[in-house]
Amino acid sequence: MLEKKMRNRIDSGDILTVTVDVFDTILLRKAWPEGLQFLEVADVMLPLFHKYINSSITAYEIYSWREYVRKELLSAKSQTIWQEAQNSVDDGQVPDVTVDVDVTLEEWFRALITSLQIKYTGKTAKLPDSFLQQLIAIELEHEIKRLKPNKQLISLLRSLRLSYPSLRIFFLSDMYLSASHIKKLLERYGALDIFDGGIASAEVGAAKFSGRLFHYIHKNGIDDQPFSIYQNLHLGDSHHSDVIMSSIAGAQAIHYHHIRFRRLR
């Protein structure tokens, strides 16, 4: 049914690109609370925090400070955007408020490291960049363990690439992971070759849930490749983000929700 729908849209001659959501579409996640996942990964990170900061740090502290610093970063970014908009108004200009506030994994973990340094040492000191990179690697490994590839959809997209050689396929994700991190996950599951590139929302300040990411790629392209939202077919599991918002932006859309995950959630 899905293959027929996609081929019919592409055969119409109006579709030059396909964009695909990543999590719960191409890569399927096990259904458990995000907080529990963060607590589990904190336990794996614990020896590194003992080594580089203080041996008294607990896994729960890493987890709770992780949650806290993200809220603080989001608040600070929102305040900055508001202040810049206010300054524009004061200068008689139209403010630019077309930004979705989020933080990248690097920003998040740097703030976490700094916060725990201050708590336990009263100051910040330069630490090896390898500390941050090891934390990111642990996060990605944990993501990999709780994911499984959607083999049926991956096979379908490969089939479409063979049938339509000029068709370009991109991934779009509302996620704190960077596009390069997502590519590593896709590569681990043998799905990276499907895509011509992709974008993660936190890196560009534009998300699918607001519709801004669809407008962003229409204006700026993806990975230096030109892109028209009006000749795009988008596929994803969120009815709001992937269907409604992409359609409003001008794309054609198909709602995809893996039946096994519909039962689990």
Side-chain angles (χ1 to χ4, degrees), residues 172-230:
L172 303 179
S173 183
D174 281 357
M175 187 62 166
Y176 56 82
L177 295 178
S178 67
S180 63
H181 293 151
I182 293 173
K183 286 177 181 178
K184 289 179 181 178
L185 300 180
L186 292 168
E187 184 175 29
R188 179 67 70 93
Y189 285 111
L192 182 58
D193 63 296
I194 295 170
F195 298 98
D196 294 283
I199 287 184
S201 61
E203 291 185 298
V204 297
K208 291 185 299 166
F209 76 83
S210 68
R212 291 191 177 110
L213 186 55
F214 299 108
H215 294 286
Y216 176 91
I217 60 178
H218 179 69
K219 179 181 178 180
N220 299 285
I222 303 177
D223 291 346
D224 298 321
Q225 301 179 59
F227 183 94
S228 171
I229 196 68
Y230 304 116

Side-chain angles (χ1 to χ4, degrees), residues 46-262:
L46 189 59
L48 289 173
F49 281 92
H50 286 174
K51 177 181 178 180
Y52 288 106
I53 299 181
N54 190 287
S55 60
S56 299
I57 296 174
T58 67
Y60 186 77
E61 278 183 296
I62 296 171
Y63 159 74
S64 59
W65 276 91
R66 175 177 179 162
E67 296 285 78
Y68 172 76
V69 298
R70 185 169 190 268
K71 291 177 183 177
E72 289 297 298
L73 287 170
L74 290 172
S75 177
K77 284 193 173 187
S78 296
Q79 181 64 28
T80 298
I81 292 170
W82 181 88
Q83 188 60 58
E84 289 174 349
Q86 186 61 50
N87 291 342
S88 295
V89 171
D90 292 342
D91 293 339
Q93 301 174 6
V94 178
D96 179 10
V97 292
T98 58
V99 177
D100 292 315
V101 179
D102 205 345
V103 297
T104 65
L105 189 62
E106 287 89 345
E107 291 173 324
W108 196 354
F109 282 0
R110 284 189 192 279
L112 173 61
I113 290 169
T114 299
S115 297
L116 287 173
Q117 273 190 307
I118 292 172
K119 177 179 179 181
Y120 279 92
T121 69
K123 60 183 181 180
T124 60
K126 184 172 176 57
L127 295 173
D129 191 57
S130 59
F131 179 26
L132 174 64
Q133 297 308 318
Q134 287 177 83
L135 294 181
I136 291 173
I138 289 171
E139 181 81 7
L140 293 179
E141 280 300 315
H142 191 74
E143 282 285 347
I144 287 167
K145 289 178 181 177
R146 68 189 185 95
L147 293 169
K148 67 174 296 182
N150 186 339
K151 295 181 180 179
Q152 185 177 15
L153 182 55
I154 291 170
S155 177
L156 168 55
L157 293 175
R158 279 212 181 93
S159 174
L160 293 177
R161 290 198 72 105
L162 290 173
S163 300
Y164 308 96
S166 64
L167 183 72
R168 292 176 296 146
I169 303 177
F170 302 97
F171 67 80
L172 303 179
S173 183
D174 281 357
M175 187 62 166
Y176 56 82
L177 295 178
S178 67
S180 63
H181 293 151
I182 293 173
K183 286 177 181 178
K184 289 179 181 178
L185 300 180
L186 292 168
E187 184 175 29
R188 179 67 70 93
Y189 285 111
L192 182 58
D193 63 296
I194 295 170
F195 298 98
D196 294 283
I199 287 184
S201 61
E203 291 185 298
V204 297
K208 291 185 299 166
F209 76 83
S210 68
R212 291 191 177 110
L213 186 55
F214 299 108
H215 294 286
Y216 176 91
I217 60 178
H218 179 69
K219 179 181 178 180
N220 299 285
I222 303 177
D223 291 346
D224 298 321
Q225 301 179 59
F227 183 94
S228 171
I229 196 68
Y230 304 116
Q231 294 176 301
N232 182 65
L233 174 62
H234 183 72
L235 180 71
D237 71 294
S238 169
H239 188 261
H240 172 78
S241 298
D242 294 308
V243 178
I244 295 176
M245 300 315 294
S246 68
S247 297
I248 290 174
Q252 296 189 43
I254 295 177
H255 188 207
Y256 179 84
H257 202 167
H258 193 268
I259 190 167
R260 186 178 72 86
F261 271 66
R262 193 180 303 131

